[in-house]
Amino acid sequence: MRGIPLIIHLSALSAGLPLLAWLARRLPLRGHEWVLLASALSLSLDALGLYLATQGRNNHWLAYLLGPLLFAAMLMALAERQRTPTARSTFRIVVVLDLLACLILSLWAEDLRNYSQFAMPLGALLVLGASTWTLVQGGFGPGGRAGAEPDWHWVPLGFALYSAVTAAYFPFVAVFMRSEPALVGRVMELKAVLVMLAFALVAWGVWCRTSGPNSGRSSSSSS
Amino acid sequence: MPDVGAELWPFFVVVILTVTILVLAVGASMVLNRRQLLRLQAAYTTRLVQVQDAERRVMAAQVHDEMAQRVSQVRNELIRHGEQADLDPPQATVLHFLEAELGELRTDLRKLAHRLHPTRVDQAGLVVALNGLCDELESGGGFKVHRHFADQLMPVKEPGWAIYRIVQESLLNAQRHGGAREAWVTVRRDGAQVVAEIRDAGTGFDTSARRAPLESGLGLILMRERATLVGGRLSVDSHPGQGTTVRATIPAEAPPGDEGERVLDV
């Protein structure tokens, strides 16, 4: 599996942008821990996947191992940005149910040597729903933007884009992998570009946040 | 052309799973948050009762030990002055009037102190305190309390205070809110517990209604909380037009870890 396009490598590395943003700004860990964990997991998943691919070895099992954890970290990051205790606890319960569902699906319904048909799309759809809810609540809900941190929309937006791309990618591959492999290759490159954009948005959200979530303090940094 | 329908059925399953997970999570979260809210509410009510009791103890001490004492001292000085001075009849009449008024003021202050905090329970026992309470309520006229108190009640401090307060609150509710002219109070020992039952022939109320009259609703909540605080329970049975029965079952001994005198931590 040599000759992997450069864009795929860049996409894998883009997962480290939020980590770089945090290091560069020397921000406190509190308020960023789940975003940074998601970033680290995605970086690990893609980097290890690329390495195994260059060695000609199957790398699909990585998605079943690290994918649910990645989506769990994203959901926890979104939970920290909710304004009500009910919403926060809902997100945390979703994490538990998602991990349980992914485990069951991986053991009984998935082919671990092939693209995921259940577990990864499930995690992606849940993160997409959670991100969309966070954006709608932040933008239009009661007390939406007032008193919000400047990054209230960047991180959820980045997660929404990432999860939307992921949720669409797996079914597409399932349908066209055998009949249109060249098309699937192009779609992979498009996915890579969108994932880079997604992590750039998340990194910007980390960069412009100056205090912990739900701290109530306004930020002087520009968004 | 690939069979899109056949290839996409897992995605439809995933969509259904997603919706199911979200619905389950929302439902579970609402249940958990409601339980936490109820716990916070119960904790708040407990704290309210504790703070109220502590404040009343302080006020009762000030009224009884300071104000009533000062009134006694002024009255005694007045009596001594009256005995020593050579007063004409009009002056003596005024003096006697002032002595009587101060005497009544002192009695009223002591009653107020006892109403604020039932020190009589500790000083003279629960039966004496309850009899004093019933006599006080009857003294205004138009209200009769039929009472039956067992001889050997002997609950320790906080259970005794709780029973006194519950009987007090129930009788006051019967007078103020129920418009009752008669009430029946029974306090007896049942093994390790003291059972107090207060029944009135007032207007009663619908216990299943969402909103009781504000004051009596709050009074019932506080009574229930007082019973719970000392490890007991309280039940209220009432129907419109059929009066109200309040039954409290209180352990005669204070709950474990309780040192009797509650310390208010600020």
Side-chain angles (χ1 to χ4, degrees), chain A residues 85-86 89-90 93-94 97 101 105 117-118 121-122 125-126 167 171 174-176 178-179, chain B residues 2 4 7-11 13-15 17-18 21-22 24-26 28-30 32-33:
Chain A
T86 304
S89 55
T90 300
I93 293 170
V94 168
L97 293 175
L105 289 167
Q117 290 188 297
F118 297 99
L122 175 64
L125 278 179
L126 287 171
V175 173
F176 292 104
R178 279 186 287 260
S179 58
Chain B
V4 175
E7 299 289 353
L8 280 182
W9 71 265
F11 188 71
V13 171
V14 165
V15 169
L17 271 175
T18 304
I21 285 174
L22 289 173
L24 283 174
V26 168
S29 172
M30 287 173 71
L32 290 172
N33 278 292

Side-chain angles (χ1 to χ4, degrees), chain A residues 11-133:
Chain A
S11 171
L13 290 173
S14 70
L17 286 175
L19 285 163
L20 287 176
W22 176 71
L23 285 168
R25 281 291 297 263
R26 298 184 187 183
L27 294 164
L29 182 61
R30 190 182 175 276
H32 303 88
E33 55 273 73
W34 293 110
V35 175
L36 299 178
L37 179 62
S39 172
L41 284 168
S42 182
L43 190 60
S44 308
L45 175 61
D46 290 338
L48 284 172
L50 278 172
Y51 172 73
L52 290 172
T54 56
Q55 301 296 306
R57 291 156 66 180
N58 188 286
N59 60 4
H60 289 293
W61 58 272
L62 272 174
Y64 296 101
L65 183 64
L66 294 178
L69 297 176
L70 167 62
F71 292 127
M74 288 182 172
L75 286 168
M76 289 301 292
L78 291 168
E80 295 292 320
R81 283 159 172 77
Q82 299 310 303
R83 296 182 186 282
T84 63
T86 304
R88 269 196 292 279
S89 55
T90 300
F91 277 45
R92 288 168 185 157
I93 293 170
V94 168
V95 168
V96 174
L97 293 175
D98 178 43
L99 288 173
L100 196 61
C102 285
L103 178 67
I104 294 171
L105 289 167
S106 301
L107 291 175
W108 274 287
E110 297 273 27
D111 177 5
L112 300 186
R113 297 185 62 81
N114 214 329
Y115 285 99
S116 172
Q117 290 188 297
F118 297 99
M120 289 291 281
L122 175 64
L125 278 179
L126 287 171
V127 172
L128 178 60
S131 308
T132 308
W133 168 265

Side-chain angles (χ1 to χ4, degrees), chain B residues 96 144 161 170 201:
Chain B
H96 287 311
K144 175 68 183 165
W161 297 342
S170 300

